[in-house]
Amino acid sequence: MFSVQSDKLVGTTIGELIIPADKVAHVQMGNNLQHALLVLTKTGYTAVPVLDAQYRLHGLISTNRIMDSVLGLERFEMERLEGMCVEEVMNTDIPRLFVGDELIKALKLVINHPFVCVTNEDGVLEGIFTRRVILKHLHKHVRSMNK
Ligand code: AMP
């Protein structure tokens, strides 16, 4: 086992660990599900943020939600994708972080979420905090302690 030096690790704020908004794949309010499915398939991500024209976060759209929304009795009714908007299907019950939040809060959230959106006070997306980034950070920290 290793012991965590709380000041160095847990006291860190998340600002330096986020993927900035301009590198985050997203869809816009008003986009149809056909477009959202295209973005998700092309990027390989399971879910992406839904933003408005001011970059404010409204929810997350995932392949699972899209496919579930067009699941008929016997088949996926893919012809319905074009007529439905992301806001009809997106998940709005999502956690958020702020840039100044401590790492311990983010760590707790990524136990149940592969990534968490980071916004400012106005709800504008500043970036995302992913499990991958925190695992990389922890790995580096543990290695440096063992040297
Ligand atoms: P990772 O921890 O890198 O495997 O990412 C976990 C999840 O975070 C992915 O499945 C995506 O839903 C989301 N994600 C990671 N990077 C991005 C990105 N650049 N743009 C949009 N979503 C992302």
Side-chain angles (χ1 to χ4, degrees):
M1 274 308 278
F2 64 91
S3 69
V4 175
Q5 288 168 301
S6 58
D7 54 332
K8 264 176 103 179
L9 185 71
V10 179
T12 316
T13 55
I14 60 165
E16 67 202 84
L17 295 176
I18 67 174
I19 297 172
D22 62 352
K23 295 212 166 67
V24 175
H26 70 275
V27 295
Q28 288 216 318
M29 297 281 278
N31 285 161
N32 66 30
L33 295 187
Q34 172 98 345
H35 175 78
L37 194 56
L38 205 75
V39 171
L40 288 161
T41 305
K42 282 283 174 198
T43 57
Y45 297 136
T46 47
V48 292
V50 179
L51 308 178
D52 64 22
Q54 283 73 44
Y55 254 64
R56 283 184 304 235
L57 176 68
H58 289 262
L60 296 181
I61 188 81
S62 63
T63 306
N64 188 49
R65 279 201 170 231
I66 294 175
M67 296 312 284
D68 193 50
S69 74
V70 295
L71 181 57
L73 282 180
E74 288 182 354
R75 65 179 185 91
F76 290 108
E77 296 162 359
M78 303 301 271
E79 64 279 9
R80 289 168 51 206
L81 287 175
E82 233 175 305
M84 292 169 75
C85 283
V86 287
E87 51 266 46
E88 294 174 55
V89 172
M90 68 186 178
N91 181 14
T92 54
D93 184 20
I94 53 168
R96 285 170 192 235
L97 286 163
F98 297 104
V99 172
D101 282 338
E102 286 190 351
L103 198 56
I104 189 74
K105 181 178 173 189
L107 258 179
K108 191 173 176 200
L109 286 172
V110 294
I111 293 172
N112 290 320
H113 304 272
F115 74 103
V116 179
C117 292
V118 182
T119 68
N120 69 14
E121 302 288 341
D122 298 322
V124 174
L125 186 76
E126 306 224 313
I128 59 171
F129 182 89
T130 68
R131 263 184 205 158
R132 187 177 135 83
V133 168
I134 185 56
L135 284 174
K136 258 175 90 175
H137 186 70
L138 277 173
H139 180 247
K140 206 169 121 191
H141 182 79
V142 173
R143 276 185 56 163
S144 75
M145 283 194 328
N146 288 337
K147 274 188 184 154

